[in-house]
């Protein structure tokens, strides 16, 4: 095994889990917020990508240079992890990536290339033009790797330590499935005194590759991504995600872009946190009333009020107050969620 050196530190951190009186009132049960938007990169991806990079740096026999293709959050996780590990990194972003995200990457001091009409084209450039020419290069996948899932799974032991009540369900947004894979892996690694927690997977319409696969009863690929939640814009979930989705304690929900966007606006008021629309998908299950409908069928109001549900606030850095204001103008009339 190699050594990271004394100047390196873990590129992710334990995050708070807090009960939200505002969201609990709306949901009619106890809602807890796992605030992974407070990770160094601004999203949960610091866990998985940070774990993969830490392991790669420790096992390397010589120098290492990390390469990641990303539309935003995975790249930020790679960049902040590289800074923490004191290693160089190159991030390739497609032309569709906003100046906001590009500048956040540049501020971290990593090398940034912007090329390709979409993420697939950017990734092709990274692999053929950069990675193959660097003998020290290490590819950093955004979600489909066991070390990424291992990193995401660290959420579960944290929740077990932080909550002094039974955990009935966990709600998470799903893109490629790295976060969901980690949560399921973490849940399966522990004995539970009662039932295992349910896991509710939430996607936006137009980026709903998991839900479409479940409806088709086959692991399918979406022909295109039409949702504004570009962080969820994976046309095909990982094989591991498809496997976990067959477990009886899993649920799949789809919300509209409007619902996800306005949920971000409401959440800024209710919880005083700015998150991007991909995170708003999970939050929308509270604001729309989906949780009671999906998890509380047949329960009395009193029985439902005793349930303890964790929302993974997965974060995301592609958001500003101006963007939230634009969401109100564009989507407030398209949703039942009151602003």
């Amino acid at each position: 095994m190699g050594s990271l050196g004394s100047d390196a530190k873990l590129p992710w951190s334990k995050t708070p889990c807090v009960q939200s009186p505002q969201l609990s009132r709306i949901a009619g049960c106890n809602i807890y917020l796992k605030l992974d938007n407070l990770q160094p990169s601004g999203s949960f991806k610091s866990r998985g990508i940070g774990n993969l990079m830490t392991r790669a740096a420790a096992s390397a026999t010589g120098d290492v240079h990390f390469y990641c293709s990303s539309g935003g959050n995975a790249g930020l996780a790679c960049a902040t992890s590289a800074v923490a590990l004191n290693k160089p990194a190159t991030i390739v972003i497609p032309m569709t990536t906003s100046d906001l995200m590009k500048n956040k990457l540049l501020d971290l001091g990593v090398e940034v290339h912007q090329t390709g009409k979409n993420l697939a084209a950017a990734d092709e450039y990274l692999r053929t033009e950069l990675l193959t020419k660097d003998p020290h290069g290490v590819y950093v996948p955004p979600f489909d790797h066991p070390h990424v899932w291992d990193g995401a799974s660290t959420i579960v032991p944290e929740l077990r330590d932080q909550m002094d009540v039974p955990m009935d369900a966990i709600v998470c947004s799903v893109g490629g499935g790295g976060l969901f894979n980690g949560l399921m892996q973490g849940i399966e690694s522990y004995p539970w005194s009662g039932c295992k927690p349910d896991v509710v997977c939430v996607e936006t319409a137009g980026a709903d590759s998991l839900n479409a696969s479940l409806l088709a009863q086959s692991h399918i690929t979406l022909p295109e991504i039409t949702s504004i939640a570009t962080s969820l814009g994976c046309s095909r979930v990982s094989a591991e995600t498809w496997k976990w989705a067959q477990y009886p304690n899993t649920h799949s929900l789809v919300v509209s872009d409007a619902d996800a966007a306005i949920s971000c606006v409401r959440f800024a008021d209710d919880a005083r946190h700015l998150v991007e629309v991909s995170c708003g998908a999970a939050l929308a299950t509270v604001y729309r009333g989906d949780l009671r409908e999906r998890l509380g069928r047949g329960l009395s109001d009193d029985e439902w009020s005793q349930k303890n549900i964790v929302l993974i606030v997965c974060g995301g850095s592609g958001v500003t107050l101006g963007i939230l204001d634009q969401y109100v103008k564009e989507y407030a009339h398209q949703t039942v969620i009151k602003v």
Side-chain angles (χ1 to χ4, degrees), residues 9-13 39-40 46-47 50-51 53-54 77 80-82 84-85:
K9 59 183 188 229
L10 280 181
W12 74 94
S13 57
Q39 290 291 352
S46 285
R47 291 181 187 266
N51 182 57
M53 292 172 60
T54 299
T80 54
S81 297
L85 297 169

Side-chain angles (χ1 to χ4, degrees), residues 19 28 50 57 102 130 134 140 142 219 233 236 244 259 281 284 294 304 332:
Q19 188 173 5
K102 180 180 179 180
L130 302 176
D134 186 348
V140 179
H219 188 189
R236 183 180 177 89
W244 283 123
D259 290 338
R294 185 55 62 98
W304 175 245

Side-chain angles (χ1 to χ4, degrees), residues 186-306:
I187 287 170
E188 287 297 315
S189 69
Y190 285 99
W192 299 87
S193 56
C195 295
K196 291 176 188 173
D198 285 289
V199 179
V200 181
C201 305
V202 193
E203 299 169 287
T204 49
D208 49 343
S209 50
L210 175 58
N211 188 263
S213 295
L214 290 168
L215 291 175
Q217 297 185 317
S218 175
H219 188 189
I220 67 170
T221 302
L222 294 179
E224 61 178 333
I225 299 297
T226 57
S227 170
I228 63 168
T230 53
S231 296
L232 302 183
C234 184
S235 60
R236 183 180 177 89
V237 295
S238 72
E240 188 80 355
T241 303
W242 177 238
K243 182 196 85 173
W244 283 123
Q246 313 304 315
Y247 277 57
N249 62 325
T250 63
H251 307 262
S252 174
L253 289 172
V254 178
V255 302
S256 69
D257 278 349
D259 290 338
I262 296 304
S263 293
C264 293
V265 177
R266 280 291 303 273
F267 193 66
D269 286 338
D270 290 338
R272 302 178 304 284
H273 287 278
L274 291 188
V275 296
E276 67 179 42
V277 70
S278 55
C279 181
L283 301 173
T285 61
V286 169
Y287 291 118
R288 288 173 18 133
D290 293 291
L291 292 184
R292 176 71 186 268
E293 183 181 322
R294 185 55 62 98
L295 300 175
R297 274 190 205 148
L299 298 181
S300 67
D301 287 349
D302 186 57
E303 289 171 324
W304 175 245
S305 70
Q306 304 304 310

